[in-house]
């Protein structure tokens, strides 16, 4: 089978022809129909993230090893199953839950493998979906797609699940105000999820009017252009000067994070999601005095992916696939994503 691999960071991915794995035990071999191209694939390819004071946080220091077949948004059909697989059969369309954990740490025992102490995520710590086939370690990581289109469903495993987790962590009650920072793929997905599962007023902040118009189309109640006036004052203006009950920052860089913090009402919750890098200074007395909660959200748990796929089956959320690439065009796909040329999602259809 053909796979696209990162041999060395910052160098073009290489197409290799390797033996197609044979599933054993609980393993399942999935024919990849669609593999989403995600920003975190770019971080892998570039070798890391921007940390505080320009320090580069290397993925290799976090246990990533090369060569690696990336791709953690994998949807396709089952072609072969191991002898201990139950409940799934050949030909079924599935989405793969990629955030696989060690199975024994406290997070894994609580069903939150995405925050495992020793993660083994597909496409990050072990080979993923940039290939004709993907070997899934257990049928327990599959989610049935039924009639959902695999290309549209692929990103639910990452950006969709991340947005879902973030909206849940914001814990908004009916009528409260939830501010979403960034109207990129994650922010737009969060708007739809927030409208589907909460009765909060959803405000979204971005600098791009086109993206804000898209957010309105998808159900955002209020849009705030951060290029036209101070976004903190604008959000306060929406909330009688008090601030929002929850802010989800999908950018989370040195510029947006302090604004997000300053938009919070007393008892407010700030959910940090974006990996754009940098650091912020915290006004420490404000955290106790205003009883803020600051929390991070990283992807999500298997049970939530199952729930999210059900919401998608009801037609309540849509992910926009704007670009399709063949496997041997993988480098062009990553370059386009890096250049900010992709609106919505790009997928590889091997
Ligand atoms: Zn991703
Ligand atoms: Zn674990």
């Amino acid at each position: 089978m053909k796979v696209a691999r990162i041999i060395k960071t910052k160098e073009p991915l290489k197409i290799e022809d390797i033996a197609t794995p044979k599933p054993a035990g609980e393993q399942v071999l999935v024919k990849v129909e669609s593999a989403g191209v995600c920003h975190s694939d770019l971080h892998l390819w570039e070798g890391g993230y921007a940390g505080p004071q320009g320090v580069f946080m290397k993925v290799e220091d976090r246990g990533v090893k090369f060569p690696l077949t990336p791709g953690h948004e994998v949807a396709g059909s089952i072609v072969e199953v191991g002898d201990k697989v139950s409940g799934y059969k050949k030909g079924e369309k599935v989405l793969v839950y990629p955030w696989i954990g060690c199975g024994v740490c406290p997070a894994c025992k609580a069903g939150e493998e995405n925050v495992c102490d020793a993660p083994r995520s597909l496409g990050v710590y072990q080979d993923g979906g940039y290939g004709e086939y993907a070997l899934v370690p257990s049928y327990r990581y599959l989610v049935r797609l039924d009639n959902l289109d695999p290309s549209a469903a692929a990103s639910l495993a990452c950006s969709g699940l991340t947005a879902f987790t973030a909206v849940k962590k914001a814990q908004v009650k009916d009528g409260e105000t939830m501010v979403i920072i960034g109207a990129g793929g994650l922010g737009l997905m969060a708007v739809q999820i927030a409208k589907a599962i909460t009765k909060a007023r959803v405000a979204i902040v971005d600098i791009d009017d086109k993206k804000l118009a898209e957010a309105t189309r998808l159900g955002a109640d209020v849009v705030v252009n951060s290029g036209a006036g101070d976004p903190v004052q604008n959000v306060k203006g929406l909330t009688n000067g008090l601030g929002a009950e929850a802010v989800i920052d999908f950018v989370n860089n040195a510029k947006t994070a302090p604004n997000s913090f300053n938009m919070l009402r007393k008892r407010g919750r700030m959910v940090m999601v974006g990996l754009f890098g940098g650091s912020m200074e915290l006004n420490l007395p404000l955290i106790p005095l205003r009883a803020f909660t600051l929390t991070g959200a990283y992807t999500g748990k298997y049970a939530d992916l199952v729930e999210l796929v059900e919401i998608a089956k009801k037609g309540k959320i849509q992910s926009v696939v704007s670009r399709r690439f063949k496997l041997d065009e993988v480098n062009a796909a990553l370059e386009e994503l890096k250049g900010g040329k992709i609106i919505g999602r790009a997928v590889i259809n091997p």
Side-chain angles (χ1 to χ4, degrees):
M1 67 170 185
K2 280 206 294 184
V3 294
R5 313 199 84 196
I6 301 172
I7 307 294
K8 229 180 137 204
T9 58
K10 298 189 184 75
E11 288 183 6
L13 275 70
K14 201 172 156 207
I15 306 293
E16 293 187 335
D17 208 338
I18 62 166
T20 305
K22 183 128 185 84
E26 292 191 356
Q27 294 173 338
V28 175
L29 188 67
V30 172
K31 182 175 181 357
V32 179
E33 288 180 28
S34 189
V37 183
C38 176
H39 266 106
S40 39
D41 298 334
L42 277 183
H43 292 303
L44 283 172
W45 186 34
E46 289 169 347
Y49 301 84
Q53 279 90 44
V55 173
F56 192 65
M57 296 163 63
K58 283 176 78 175
V59 292
E60 279 158 300
D61 294 339
R62 290 174 40 237
V64 174
K65 290 189 181 71
F66 300 104
L68 171 79
T69 306
H72 52 270
E73 302 180 355
V74 189
S77 52
I78 296 175
V79 283
E80 214 178 332
V81 298
D83 59 341
K84 292 201 177 76
V85 172
S86 74
Y88 288 92
K89 53 183 190 297
K90 282 184 199 177
E92 275 188 290
K93 302 257 187 218
V94 289
L95 178 62
V96 179
Y97 176 82
W99 313 111
I100 295 170
C102 67
V104 294
C105 76
C108 286
K109 283 192 172 151
E112 297 184 25
E113 294 194 37
N114 55 306
V115 282
C116 170
D117 291 330
R120 300 182 299 144
S121 315
L122 285 185
V124 183
Y125 299 102
Q126 55 180 317
D127 288 339
Y130 281 20
E132 291 177 294
Y133 298 93
L135 185 67
V136 182
S138 169
Y139 65 93
R140 297 169 206 276
Y141 299 114
L142 300 177
V143 182
R144 265 189 200 86
L145 287 178
D146 299 327
N147 294 325
L148 273 188
D149 168 33
S151 288
S155 69
L156 294 179
C158 178
S159 61
L161 185 56
T162 301
F164 193 43
T165 305
V167 170
K168 282 191 162 181
K169 285 199 167 191
Q171 295 179 334
V172 282
K173 298 189 185 75
D174 296 1
E176 289 188 343
T177 299
M178 174 195 287
V179 179
I180 291 169
I181 308 295
L186 275 159
L188 294 177
M189 181 57 84
V191 167
Q192 298 178 71
I193 292 170
K195 294 309 286 186
I197 69 169
T198 79
K199 290 195 173 73
R201 175 167 63 153
V202 178
I204 185 159
V205 180
D206 200 285
I207 198 154
D208 184 333
D209 277 327
K210 266 192 204 154
K211 290 183 181 168
L212 291 173
E214 182 69 358
T216 302
R217 188 183 73 77
L218 294 170
D221 299 299
V222 187
V223 297
V224 175
N225 188 317
S226 52
D230 178 2
V232 175
Q233 288 314 317
N234 280 330
V235 167
K236 291 210 164 154
L238 298 172
T239 50
N240 296 325
L242 294 170
E245 280 83 4
V247 180
I248 305 175
D249 193 341
F250 287 108
V251 182
N252 194 33
N253 68 12
K255 201 170 164 199
T256 64
N259 281 344
S260 300
F261 184 80
N262 289 328
M263 281 174 197
L264 292 175
R265 182 185 184 141
K266 263 190 187 177
R267 298 164 72 239
R269 294 163 299 281
M270 174 170 167
V271 186
M272 289 172 269
V273 186
L275 291 167
F276 283 80
S279 59
M280 74 181 270
E281 207 160 278
L282 280 174
N283 184 339
L284 294 174
L286 281 188
I287 299 175
L289 286 173
R290 298 180 63 80
F292 291 145
T293 302
L294 310 187
T295 183
Y298 176 72
T299 70
K301 56 186 179 180
Y302 174 80
D304 279 347
L305 185 59
V306 174
E307 203 180 309
L308 182 63
V309 167
E310 285 310 310
I311 294 171
K313 283 177 185 171
K314 291 189 185 114
K316 289 186 177 174
I317 49 173
Q318 41 176 292
S319 42
V320 183
V321 179
S322 56
R323 291 280 280 131
R324 292 171 186 272
F325 296 88
K326 296 270 169 226
L327 189 60
D328 50 20
E329 297 167 331
V330 60
N331 289 298
L334 288 168
E335 288 291 357
E336 278 195 27
L337 185 63
K338 192 177 172 182
K341 289 178 192 147
I342 292 170
I343 296 172
R345 211 62 172 168
V347 297
I348 293 170
N349 298 130

